[in-house]
Amino acid sequence: MTKAGFASIVGRPNVGKSTLMNGILGQKISITSNKPQTTRHAITGIYTDEDTQIIFLDTPGIHTNMQSALNKQLNRTAMSTITTGDVIIFIVEALRFNKDDEKVLSKLKGIETPVILVINKIDKLQNKEELFPFIAEMSERFPFSDIVPLSAKQAKSADVLLDVIKKYLPEQPFPYSEDEITTVSSAFLAAEVLREKLTRRLNQELPYTIAVEIEEFKIEGNLYRILAAISVERESQKGIVIGKGGATLKEASTQARIDLERLFDAKVFLRAFVKVREGWSDDEKALNALGYKDL
């Protein structure tokens, strides 16, 4: 009999949730960067082997700063997935547990769903024995069903975690076909990949005020034609995204195109432009139009 179920990945921003899921799937489904708010939606990744199918939900990091409407929506999206999973994967960094981690952990208290603690980034530790007192400390904070130290960037780490997750999944047929790896659309992936490239390219300048919409997505044989609209909040930000002589936008678009050609296994023609949507990150109607509601 096969096993199948949902695994929700939760944690504070930038703890390695998307990197972990991408590593398990062996393909980039959820975008990554070292900036908070990189993941803004609950992204579904599907892992399948001979007898098990795990549907991973990679959630936005839970934010303690909830000033904007976007922050509040990200938190609602993250929290809504917690009750969805057959098992919850709570990620922290090795030897680091701060108030943001505590905020997330407090949301799990009283939930009957098994919670696996993943201690990430152990590859950065010079002395692995330092983990033992940290594991003891974490065990006192919460009755974790299992504790798995790993490095999300190392492929071999996934095997140990997968074996642990399988213990908590019910016996049932696979809900998805064996060749599916995500439930999100190709257009959604295109928007996310472009947003990732812009976020990385702009560094500290304005990654939080950028949204990407796909206005046109056509498949013509082995060619994907994509038109993307990049929204910023102020006119002054438009020039930053475009860059001198259009260099910033061109470079980000080129990097996105290369990734998308690899992802779709096809040629991609990607055209992007920038428009001003004033105050979109704190406007409920704008968030709805940009796809950030009821996700």
Side-chain angles (χ1 to χ4, degrees):
M1 183 65 181
T2 58
K3 284 188 167 187
F6 289 84
S8 300
I9 307 174
V10 300
R12 62 170 169 79
N14 291 344
V15 77
K17 299 181 296 298
S18 299
T19 301
L20 177 64
M21 188 181 77
N22 291 339
I24 289 172
L25 298 178
Q27 189 164 340
K28 180 180 286 189
I29 297 299
S30 190
I31 68 174
T32 62
S33 84
N34 61 355
K35 312 295 188 300
Q37 295 188 7
T38 301
T39 300
R40 292 178 177 173
H41 306 258
I43 310 296
T44 304
I46 304 168
Y47 167 86
T48 306
D49 61 21
E50 294 81 2
D51 56 11
T52 306
Q53 188 170 85
I54 306 171
I55 302 95
F56 288 97
L57 299 173
D58 177 22
T59 65
I62 295 176
H63 297 251
T64 55
N65 180 357
M66 295 178 60
Q67 294 180 352
S68 74
L70 177 59
N71 285 133
K72 293 175 183 178
Q73 180 56 33
L74 295 181
N75 280 359
R76 286 195 294 268
T77 300
M79 293 307 303
S80 68
T81 65
I82 289 180
T83 55
T84 302
D86 296 286
V87 61
I88 297 169
I89 302 167
F90 173 54
I91 304 184
V92 299
E93 285 186 40
L95 308 188
R96 182 182 177 189
F97 188 86
N98 60 28
K99 63 180 179 63
D100 293 330
D101 297 302
E102 178 59 45
K103 174 83 171 181
V104 181
L105 188 60
S106 69
K107 303 293 185 182
L108 304 181
K109 292 179 180 177
I111 292 178
E112 296 182 2
T113 306
V115 180
I116 299 170
L117 173 65
V118 166
I119 303 175
N120 191 22
K121 304 183 182 181
I122 63 169
D123 54 307
K124 295 185 177 182
L125 297 180
Q126 297 294 325
N127 182 5
K128 297 297 190 289
E129 291 186 1
E130 293 177 322
L131 269 177
F132 296 122
F134 182 71
I135 290 172
E137 174 195 338
M138 293 303 299
S139 298
E140 292 178 1
R141 291 181 181 273
F142 190 89
F144 296 104
S145 300
D146 273 285
I147 298 178
V148 181
L150 54 72
S151 171
K153 291 184 177 181
Q154 297 178 352
K156 62 182 180 181
S157 296
D159 295 335
V160 176
L161 179 59
L162 289 170
D163 287 340
V164 173
I165 294 172
K166 290 176 183 181
K167 296 191 301 183
Y168 301 102
L169 302 182
E171 290 188 348
Q172 60 181 342
F174 293 168
Y176 297 99
S177 65
E178 296 184 20
D179 60 350
E180 288 186 82
I181 60 169
T182 185
T183 60
V184 301
S185 69
S186 296
F188 175 86
L189 288 174
E192 288 289 272
V193 169
L194 179 55
R195 186 165 64 84
E196 176 192 54
K197 302 311 177 187
L198 289 165
T199 300
R200 289 175 177 269
R201 184 74 177 83
L202 294 168
N203 198 17
Q204 299 294 334
E205 292 173 282
L206 57 140
Y208 316 124
T209 56
I210 290 175
V212 178
E213 299 171 85
I214 301 301
E215 296 203 345
E216 184 178 287
F217 191 96
K218 293 182 179 179
I219 302 176
E220 302 171 355
N222 197 44
L223 173 66
Y224 285 61
R225 292 188 181 275
I226 303 169
L227 175 62
I230 302 159
S231 293
V232 294
E233 295 193 301
R234 295 190 300 275
E235 189 68 36
S236 61
Q237 296 169 342
K238 185 175 180 179
I240 296 174
V241 174
I242 295 172
K244 186 176 181 179
T248 300
L249 182 58
K250 182 179 180 181
E251 182 177 334
S253 298
T254 299
Q255 292 173 349
R257 177 185 57 76
I258 292 170
D259 271 16
L260 290 172
E261 288 185 337
R262 188 181 302 114
L263 185 63
F264 297 148
D265 192 24
K267 291 291 183 181
V268 172
F269 176 78
L270 172 62
R271 186 163 65 89
F273 66 95
V274 184
K275 63 181 181 180
V276 178
R277 189 190 287 263
E278 292 188 6
W280 71 262
S281 67
D282 204 25
D283 183 331
E284 293 285 352
K285 290 184 178 179
L287 287 173
N288 189 35
L290 290 166
Y292 289 110
K293 293 289 285 181
D294 301 323
L295 295 166

